[in-house]
Amino acid sequence: MSHKKLIWQIFPPFLIIIVCALLAITWTISRELSSFQLRQATSDLEARAFLASKQLTGNMTLANQATVDRLCKELGKSTATRLTVILNDGTVIGDSENSPGQMDNHSNRPEITQALQGHIGTATRFSQTLRQNMLYVAIPVFEQDTIVGSIRAALSIAKLEQTLSKITLKLVLGGLIVALVAALVALAVSRRISRPLGELQKGAERFAKGDLEQPLPVSAVTEISGLAEAMNSMAAQLDERLRTAIRQRNEQEAVLTSMIEGVIAVDTDQVILRINAAAARLFNIDIDNAAGRHIGEVTRKVDLHRFIVSTLTSSDPIEAELTLLHQGEERYLQAHGAPLRGASGQKIGALVVVHDVTRLRRLENLRRDFVANVSHELKTPITAIKGAVETLQGGAVNNPQDSRQFLGIASRQIDRLNAIIEDLLALSRLERDAEAAEIDCAQENLQPILASALQSCATIAEMREVQVSLFCAEELTACVNAPLLEQAIINLVDNAIKYSDAESVVTVEGWQDDDQLKIKVQDRGQGIPEEHLPRLFERFYRVDAARSRAIGGTGLGLAIVKHIVQAHNGEVTVHSTLGEGTVFTISLPRLPVREDSNNGIV
Ligand code: ADP
């Protein structure tokens, strides 16, 4: 279908109507005018013929032809009319324009025939005599109630026709001017209608492109202004809805982005609809190129694929635990899947939410191990005590030497139990205080702390014939909790002495390295095999459990050291070479750590 501009729909029909109306009016007027003129001329000619008949009364005979003809010529001249006098036999006896003798018998002329029958005869025809179109009016002439002849008045209708065509021309010209003016008015009216419609069209195109803020101009035409107002209100509503939709989308986006849980939404063909940053991180997916792609294209985690398929086939929410290898480490994910439903309740995909429970799992394992370890550690001295008591009960109590021996065993094992419980309590206190950030630190002189720790180990050092040396500048200070730090140094020095041979040397050194305080405890003992180093600071971890127990170790000393150092926002490292010895190094920040960076958690 061809599209025409509104102006071309309105303007041509308008123009055709105007032109047709004007043509009809012109034609009707000119016809009416022509018949009016003819009627006027006829009655005029009739009157003139009557006037002439008055003057010719009594002369209507062939004998008076000369008089009649003269009168005719005089009257014809004075009235500018052709006058012809005809006797009732058709003989012309006078004519204002011609000589009657040369004129043929007029009885067969229709107007004469009518007149001689007593009527007023009229006719319009071409005159052979005058060689032009003529209007003839003939009246009967009576003498004593007898028709003696007829007088005919004639007028050239060429003049009438000329006048008529002049009037018609003027009418046509006037009509054309009116048509032109009407056409211009029609054009203006069409424009007035089409221009606001054009603006509406442009506005609608703007709306379609999303520019909903600029309203459409309101036209003076009621219907168009109604349409513009309706479209403006539609645009305002649309704008409002769009803003709401954008706001909701941004809110959703913010919620999804800030979620720790990974969220993946797929359609029924497993094509990703939405994915949040946490899920992208967990499954190693490029978040920017994920939407619109099949899940199998962006990640090869088989467990996840299976779970998505199960969610898509199930009509109820499902749960499962996924295990995946992420950067060489096993990760445990708790996954929840639910069908995604459209507005009418039909299934349009699946929503999967995964929660990384790896840390929880590790903690659970740690706790389990810890409980097992504690039970095991406690069980050993308890078994020994029980054995000693039973032996005593079995009769050994009666032998003073045996009694002393078994009571000694029981007492040592009770000391051991006590040491383990003390260490466990110290650890849990440390953990609790570190969590609550309740470790009180003050700017302390380091040298006295180290000296005091060495003093505490002096007896065992002497017993084992190990020499302990201290190197520390007196003015060295740091922000520490003195009793805790002393405890950590005691544990390290105690180990260094215990795991050194007699006459060996243990060195304790303190120094400043930039804004860090360093404390080094070095022995020249047997050293620790490398494979044990990563787990050395775990609770109850021992390189040689039997030896450790034999020399009174609880397996908690290094765990306590680690916790004390961490409570100071520092770190402890170990370097060991088999047969050469071991070096433990503590690094602490010298200045107080700001509250908001406590334990590195902001
Ligand atoms: P324990 O009470 O058994 O000494 P620790 O936690 O203090 O427990 O130490 C854990 C283990 O680390 C010890 O059992 C021991 O095998 C090893 N170890 C600690 N310090 C040294 C050291 N200086 N030289 C060699 N081995 C050490």
Side-chain angles (χ1 to χ4, degrees):
M1 192 179 148
S2 70
H3 295 281
K4 272 193 211 153
K5 279 190 142 200
L6 183 71
I7 191 166
W8 297 119
Q9 302 272 9
I10 298 175
F11 180 57
F14 211 79
L15 199 64
I16 290 169
I17 291 168
I18 290 167
V19 170
C20 288
L22 282 173
L23 280 177
I25 289 166
T26 312
W27 183 75
T28 315
I29 289 177
S30 64
R31 263 188 68 100
E32 281 301 313
L33 212 62
S34 148
S35 67
F36 173 73
Q37 258 195 337
L38 220 57
R39 277 200 308 278
Q40 281 289 100
T42 308
S43 61
D44 198 27
L45 286 176
E46 198 184 318
R48 287 179 202 179
F50 270 112
L51 274 177
S53 76
K54 292 284 177 252
Q55 301 213 16
L56 291 167
T57 315
N59 293 321
M60 292 295 286
T61 55
L62 197 60
N64 290 335
Q65 185 181 351
T67 317
V68 171
D69 189 47
R70 187 178 43 82
L71 270 171
C72 266
K73 288 195 168 46
E74 280 173 17
L75 282 169
K77 206 170 199 177
S78 62
T79 57
T81 314
R82 183 186 172 192
L83 288 174
T84 311
V85 182
I86 303 112
L87 290 179
N88 52 9
D89 61 355
T91 314
V92 179
I93 57 167
D95 189 88
S96 57
E97 313 279 324
N98 249 327
S99 157
Q102 290 170 357
M103 293 170 72
D104 55 356
N105 188 297
H106 270 43
S107 58
N108 61 345
R109 301 292 196 274
E111 68 279 6
I112 302 295
T113 313
Q114 284 175 37
L116 290 179
Q117 284 167 4
H119 307 294
I120 293 168
T122 56
T124 311
R125 69 171 178 279
F126 188 75
S127 157
Q128 295 297 336
T129 322
L130 297 175
R131 318 279 324 149
Q132 56 185 308
N133 275 335
M134 299 293 286
L135 170 66
Y136 298 97
V137 177
I139 59 164
V141 180
F142 293 90
E143 272 182 21
Q144 283 134 25
D145 292 336
T146 321
I147 298 169
V148 291
S150 158
I151 294 181
R152 188 182 70 176
L155 193 68
S156 160
I157 46 172
K159 276 185 193 153
L160 287 181
E161 279 170 349
Q162 243 174 13
T163 320
L164 195 66
S165 42
K166 268 185 198 161
I167 291 171
T168 310
L169 188 71
K170 278 182 188 161
L171 271 174
V172 169
L173 273 178
L176 278 178
I177 292 168
V178 170
L180 195 70
V181 172
L184 289 176
V185 171
L187 199 68
V189 170
S190 307
R191 282 248 169 94
R192 246 186 107 176
I193 297 171
S194 66
R195 194 175 308 126
L197 283 176
E199 280 168 8
L200 280 189
Q201 186 196 351
K202 278 186 203 146
E205 281 167 7
R206 255 198 338 268
F207 288 168
K209 280 182 196 151
D211 176 11
L212 296 165
E213 273 171 25
Q214 205 181 324
L216 300 176
V218 176
S219 147
V221 183
T222 318
E223 288 81 357
I224 298 176
S225 75
L227 180 61
E229 275 163 8
M231 283 175 73
N232 280 343
S233 104
M234 180 197 76
Q237 281 181 21
L238 217 62
D239 196 33
E240 181 59 38
R241 279 187 200 172
L242 263 177
R243 278 171 201 275
T244 310
I246 290 170
R247 200 189 58 239
Q248 284 174 346
R249 194 196 62 195
N250 289 349
E251 282 169 6
Q252 267 180 16
E253 205 66 54
V255 169
L256 276 181
T257 310
S258 56
M259 272 175 81
I260 308 164
E261 289 84 3
V263 179
I264 303 176
V266 294
D267 67 10
T268 44
D269 297 324
Q270 299 182 43
V271 171
I272 297 178
L273 301 171
R274 292 285 286 273
I275 179 166
N276 75 343
R281 231 181 357 259
L282 278 172
F283 298 110
N284 210 5
I285 295 173
D286 176 8
I287 193 166
D288 296 326
N289 298 316
R293 292 173 68 190
H294 191 274
I295 188 79
E297 267 181 70
V298 294
T299 178
R300 298 200 181 282
K301 313 284 181 200
V302 183
D303 274 15
L304 177 67
H305 292 176
R306 273 201 212 112
F307 187 70
I308 287 176
V309 172
S310 310
T311 312
L312 282 171
T313 47
S314 155
S315 52
D316 295 316
I318 57 168
E319 253 186 72
E321 195 165 299
L322 315 180
T323 312
L324 50 99
L325 212 62
H326 183 73
Q327 293 171 348
E329 258 184 55
E330 268 209 335
R331 285 200 163 267
Y332 305 98
L333 306 178
Q334 185 69 35
H336 299 261
L340 267 185
R341 301 204 181 274
S344 49
Q346 82 285 19
K347 195 188 255 189
I348 56 164
L351 182 75
V352 172
V353 180
V354 286
H355 187 54
D356 188 354
V357 290
T358 312
R359 203 169 149 259
L360 214 67
R361 272 299 191 78
R362 284 196 189 134
L363 279 176
E364 269 170 21
N365 290 345
L366 272 181
R367 190 168 298 132
R368 215 172 15 244
D369 291 353
F370 179 67
V371 171
N373 286 335
V374 170
S375 315
H376 179 74
E377 289 300 323
L378 294 179
K379 208 171 169 219
T380 318
I382 286 170
T383 312
I385 293 167
K386 195 168 177 252
V389 171
E390 277 170 1
T391 315
L392 284 171
Q393 280 173 337
V397 73
N398 300 321
N399 182 331
Q401 202 186 336
D402 288 351
S403 313
R404 259 198 308 280
Q405 188 196 340
F406 287 109
L407 282 174
I409 292 172
S411 165
R412 275 199 303 281
Q413 293 304 329
I414 286 167
D415 283 349
R416 196 171 142 63
L417 266 180
N418 197 36
I420 293 171
I421 288 163
E422 288 272 306
D423 279 357
L424 280 172
L425 284 174
L427 260 176
S428 85
R429 246 195 325 271
L430 264 173
E431 272 180 350
R432 194 195 56 215
D433 290 354
E435 262 172 35
E438 277 178 2
I439 306 259
D440 292 329
C441 290
Q443 205 66 26
E444 301 274 359
N445 226 323
L446 184 67
Q447 207 264 355
I449 298 172
L450 298 183
S452 172
L454 262 59
Q455 186 62 44
S456 303
C457 300
T459 319
I460 183 174
E462 208 172 299
M463 263 169 54
R464 300 185 71 91
E465 296 172 34
V466 173
Q467 190 197 324
V468 186
S469 316
L470 172 64
F471 302 95
C472 181
E474 280 187 10
E475 68 282 359
L476 195 59
T477 60
C479 183
V480 294
N481 178 303
L484 285 180
L485 184 63
E486 188 181 327
Q487 180 64 57
I489 305 298
I490 291 173
N491 287 6
L492 291 178
V493 175
D494 186 58
N495 278 350
I497 296 169
K498 281 193 295 189
Y499 297 103
S500 290
D501 300 323
E503 293 178 10
S504 181
V505 179
V506 169
T507 327
V508 178
E509 210 178 316
W511 77 98
Q512 183 186 328
D513 184 8
D514 288 337
D515 52 355
Q516 293 240 298
L517 178 77
K518 302 265 185 184
I519 303 164
K520 185 169 86 174
V521 178
Q522 181 173 19
D523 65 61
R524 277 106 191 141
Q526 66 223 26
I528 306 166
E530 207 183 332
E531 67 269 20
H532 294 285
L533 294 181
R535 299 192 59 192
L536 205 64
F537 292 95
E538 284 177 19
R539 291 164 200 207
F540 297 116
Y541 189 82
R542 295 184 178 94
V543 176
D544 179 351
R547 175 155 186 213
S548 162
R549 282 197 195 99
I551 53 179
T554 60
L556 293 168
L558 289 182
I560 292 173
V561 171
K562 187 181 87 177
H563 273 84
I564 291 175
V565 173
Q566 280 179 348
H568 283 84
N569 293 299
E571 61 166 357
V572 56
T573 54
V574 57
H575 287 281
S576 190
T577 315
L578 272 182
E580 283 184 23
T582 307
V583 183
F584 286 90
T585 312
I586 292 175
S587 308
L588 301 177
R590 280 191 61 235
L591 297 169
V593 175
R594 286 204 338 266
E595 276 286 305
D596 58 2
S597 62
N598 188 39
N599 289 331
I601 301 164
V602 179

